[in-house]
Amino acid sequence: MDLHGEPLVRWNWVADHVDLFATLTRQHLFLSLMPVLLGLLIAVPLGVVSVRWRWLYPPVFAAANLLYTVPSLALFMLMLDITGLLSPWTAIIPLTGFTLSVLVPNVVDGLRQVPDPVRQAATAMGFGRLRRLLQVELPIAVPIVMAGLRVTTVSSISLVSVAVLVGQGGLGQLFIEGAQKDFPTPIIVGIVLITLLAAVFDLLLVVAQRLLTPWARTRRGTP
Amino acid sequence: MIHIIQLFWDWITQSANWSGDDGIPNRLAEHLWYSGLALLIAAAIGLPLGLLTGHTGRGGFLAVSLANFGRALPTLGILVLVVLLYGVGLGPVLTALILLAVPPILVNTYEGVRGVDADMKDAAKGMGMTGRQVLFKVEVPAALPLILLGLRTAAIQIVATATVAAYVSLGGLGRYIFDGFQRQDYPMVVGGSVLVVLLAVIVSLGFLALRRLVVPLGVRHREKAV
């Protein structure tokens, strides 16, 4: 390790740039959480119809697999042709594709593992197809969908920093600054902040899951 | 979309792009070399650790937490930091690639081995198998689908990260993306990007084919039934 006497973290630089970190963090959260939100809004209906019409799922699953495979840096670069350097969509659209690739299979798995007797009981109680979906099937699918949501949220928060190379990276800008000036402090601050954000949002999702699935709690609580 | 395909076609059909250090064959070979080496070393670390934690059931929580933490680490930041601290070169970059690839291999192997039916293990023990035999003759074959999934995830991630590594002066297909970007030569950027996409897809399909080849028939049937 040779930093020519430069300390790993220059604390006074950190103290002087708190405002910058706040701005970048806001950008970062917008760019990384929008894809998760959009992905969820698309994945739930897409998953529902893929379960309803079985023939639809193999092509949807293949497309999801393909999207999962494609490196995001390459997608960001190809998006430039359509959205340009200044648009946040250059980052948001490819990341939404990544989110979908994880969430759609999870929604489908979640809905498929609803036990048939439960479905039949709901029908016997006079639930229509839509009400059964909203009040019985989707709530039972919550734990599996949540698992996917946690993976995509954490991945999105870390992946989006690569989009700084197409001008849209939130905290990723700290990496570029550090690399250009041979200055480790911003790089370390960036890594710490991104990892911290990922941990915080992961925790929030765990709490949300507990609130959304109260039955799981009571079951575990009874001896 | 059509514009992209046209740019790619025009770029890839130029004979100048097929020779020399900056030619496609050389860049592709570099990319495969870094990626293959990183995957091999990551597997040599992740597989035994996953088998050990899965077989004994100890250290599993640590393995899973490590995988989650690994997912949160921003690849660009790690690459830039490693190069700043240890200098430009294959060693530091390879270390970063391995660091990011071990967690998916480790955690999938662990989950795969741990998830093997307890009755199956009991039956194996009842037949007089030793712990080592149970691991290699029962647990590993039954866990193969998940083990391969972990290797595939790691491979996809390595191919993608090796592309980003061109930012810190490494060779490989990512060179086209960054050099093209700097020279404002968008066709070159497109050429590199599409090649990387194709490589990732081929690697991914390769693992699917491997899975068909090596996963025992009995395990495959069980999987379908669930």
Side-chain angles (χ1 to χ4, degrees):
Chain A
M1 207 189 297
D2 183 19
L3 290 168
H4 310 288
E6 172 71 30
L8 213 51
V9 178
R10 240 182 224 283
W11 289 105
N12 55 348
W13 187 90
V14 176
D16 286 345
H17 290 79
V18 173
D19 286 348
L20 174 72
F21 303 150
T23 316
L24 291 178
T25 302
R26 259 201 309 280
Q27 277 174 18
H28 197 96
L29 286 180
F30 173 72
L31 290 171
S32 55
L33 296 182
M34 265 303 265
V36 178
L37 193 66
L38 290 174
L40 188 64
L41 287 177
I42 301 170
V44 171
L46 197 57
V48 168
V49 297
S50 303
V51 172
R52 177 80 180 74
W53 290 285
R54 282 177 155 267
W55 57 268
L56 208 64
Y57 191 49
V60 167
F61 185 69
N65 235 320
L66 184 73
L67 276 177
Y68 182 80
T69 302
V70 173
S72 44
L73 174 66
L75 273 192
F76 292 146
M77 292 294 167
L78 295 176
M79 265 323 277
L80 276 180
D81 188 47
I82 302 162
T83 48
L85 258 181
L86 294 172
S87 165
W89 294 104
T90 310
I92 291 174
I93 293 173
L95 284 175
T96 305
F98 168 77
T99 316
L100 281 173
S101 74
V102 178
L103 283 181
V104 173
N106 273 53
V107 172
V108 170
D109 288 348
L111 289 174
R112 279 194 180 159
Q113 50 98 49
V114 175
D116 269 337
V118 172
R119 216 171 270 141
Q120 286 153 4
T123 312
M125 284 174 70
F127 279 46
R129 199 170 262 160
L130 183 68
R131 208 172 136 217
R132 191 182 71 190
L133 176 72
L134 293 178
Q135 295 189 349
V136 178
E137 291 169 336
L138 282 176
I140 292 178
V142 162
I144 295 190
V145 177
M146 262 312 184
L149 211 55
R150 288 176 61 188
V151 170
T152 50
T153 305
V154 170
S155 304
S156 186
I157 288 175
S158 87
L159 268 177
V160 78
S161 51
V162 173
V164 71
L165 301 167
V166 289
Q168 302 288 334
L171 290 163
Q173 262 164 45
L174 296 172
F175 302 148
I176 302 294
E177 171 151 357
Q180 281 170 351
K181 295 182 182 162
D182 272 350
F183 181 29
T185 305
I187 304 174
I188 289 170
V189 171
I191 293 175
V192 169
L193 283 178
I194 287 171
T195 316
L196 220 61
L197 283 181
V200 167
F201 277 87
D202 194 44
L203 198 69
L204 285 177
L205 286 173
V206 172
V207 173
Q209 182 177 348
R210 276 181 71 95
L211 293 176
L212 282 171
T213 55
W215 59 88
R217 234 176 319 160
T218 46
R219 200 184 295 154
R220 209 173 298 146
T222 46
Chain B
M1 189 67 189
I2 291 173
H3 185 221
I4 294 278
I5 294 169
Q6 193 162 20
L7 285 176
F8 178 65
W9 183 251
D10 290 346
W11 182 79
I12 202 156
T13 47
Q14 280 172 29
S15 57
N17 290 330
W18 285 91
S19 58
D21 271 359
D22 201 31
I24 294 167
N26 185 43
R27 290 297 182 216
L28 181 65
E30 284 174 343
H31 209 108
L32 289 174
W33 162 238
Y34 307 146
S35 306
L37 196 58
L39 184 64
L40 212 65
I41 299 174
I45 299 169
L47 285 179
L49 282 178
L51 292 179
L52 193 72
T53 48
H55 182 68
T56 59
R58 280 190 208 136
F61 177 74
L62 198 70
V64 175
S65 314
L66 196 73
N68 286 335
F69 180 68
R71 226 192 323 264
L73 285 177
T75 51
L76 180 65
I78 299 294
L79 283 169
V80 170
L81 184 67
V82 161
V83 168
L84 191 60
L85 295 184
Y86 300 102
V88 178
L90 188 56
V93 173
L94 211 55
T95 312
L97 291 181
I98 294 164
L99 190 76
L100 296 164
V102 168
I105 297 175
L106 170 56
V107 82
N108 279 294
T109 308
Y110 162 76
E111 295 279 8
V113 172
R114 201 199 54 155
V116 174
D117 202 338
D119 289 346
M120 236 155 78
K121 285 187 269 190
D122 282 347
K125 268 180 230 154
M127 285 169 68
M129 285 192 184
T130 61
R132 177 187 289 254
Q133 283 172 325
V134 173
L135 176 63
F136 287 105
K137 291 194 169 159
V138 178
E139 289 175 326
V140 169
L144 259 185
L146 261 182
I147 294 176
L148 284 176
L149 183 74
L151 286 171
R152 174 172 164 245
T153 308
I156 292 172
Q157 186 167 18
I158 287 175
V159 168
T161 311
T163 316
V164 180
Y167 179 74
V168 289
S169 318
L170 206 69
L173 295 170
R175 276 265 57 83
Y176 295 125
I177 297 179
F178 292 101
D179 292 347
F181 204 78
Q182 207 156 30
R183 296 175 206 162
Q184 301 192 326
D185 180 354
Y186 191 61
M188 191 179 189
V189 174
V190 169
S193 302
V194 175
L195 285 179
V196 166
V197 171
L198 291 177
L199 180 61
V201 170
I202 290 169
V203 166
S204 182
L205 289 177
F207 272 96
L208 289 181
L210 190 67
R211 183 188 150 124
R212 279 185 164 263
L213 271 177
V214 302
V215 172
L217 230 72
V219 177
R220 234 183 289 163
H221 281 296
R222 255 166 25 93
E223 230 187 337
K224 259 184 210 155
V226 172

